[in-house]
Amino acid sequence: MLVEPTYKSHWEVPGGCVEADESPRAAAGRELREELGLSVPVGRLLVTDWVPARDGRTEGLMLIFDGGVLSAEETAGIRVPAEELRGWAWCTAAEAGERLLPLLARRIAAAVRVLPAGGCAYLEDGYEAA
């Protein structure tokens, strides 16, 4: 699932920053509620990606969690905040690669690769670390 922010020219995955005294998993759940109106369990960690400092940003760790499979009822209940998101879309991995910036596209491709096997990918700047 991808979301289309109103404040960016490219698509993103649902998510955001961890707030003070909040775990990454709790932040993922909060962002799903805020961005999509979904209260669903956040699954296992799929990707950890270390991103170096750039463009006035410090280095950081980006995490991708498994959002699970939504029922038809949950999907029908998705509501996006108009001031933040234009909309959302289900996408194949190839479609995501076309809509996302290359760094995030690499991260999502890694998540798709590890999802069936039960593992977790470690990336550096979106690339598999040797």
Side-chain angles (χ1 to χ4, degrees), residues 10-126:
H10 53 274
W11 290 68
E12 289 279 345
V13 293
C17 294
V18 174
E19 295 179 354
D21 299 319
E22 181 180 48
S23 76
R25 185 182 303 273
R30 176 183 49 76
E31 290 288 348
L32 288 172
R33 288 187 300 278
E34 291 175 2
E35 293 186 357
L36 303 171
L38 289 172
S39 291
V40 295
V42 175
R44 69 183 175 85
L45 181 64
L46 299 175
V47 175
T48 300
D49 187 8
W50 174 82
V51 181
R54 66 165 65 97
D55 301 326
R57 292 182 153 195
T58 62
E59 67 182 350
L61 290 176
M62 306 300 169
L63 307 175
I64 301 288
F65 288 94
D66 184 352
V69 176
L70 298 181
S71 68
E73 182 178 309
E74 289 167 325
T75 301
I78 293 174
R79 300 289 180 266
V80 297
E83 68 281 355
E84 186 176 350
L85 299 174
R86 287 184 191 92
W88 65 276
W90 295 120
C91 297
T92 64
E95 291 167 336
E98 294 170 5
R99 292 181 178 185
L100 299 171
L101 291 177
L103 174 61
L104 185 52
R106 293 190 302 269
R107 199 175 295 145
I108 295 306
V112 169
R113 274 194 311 275
V114 301
L115 184 62
C120 181
Y122 173 73
L123 311 176
E124 291 188 359
D125 206 23

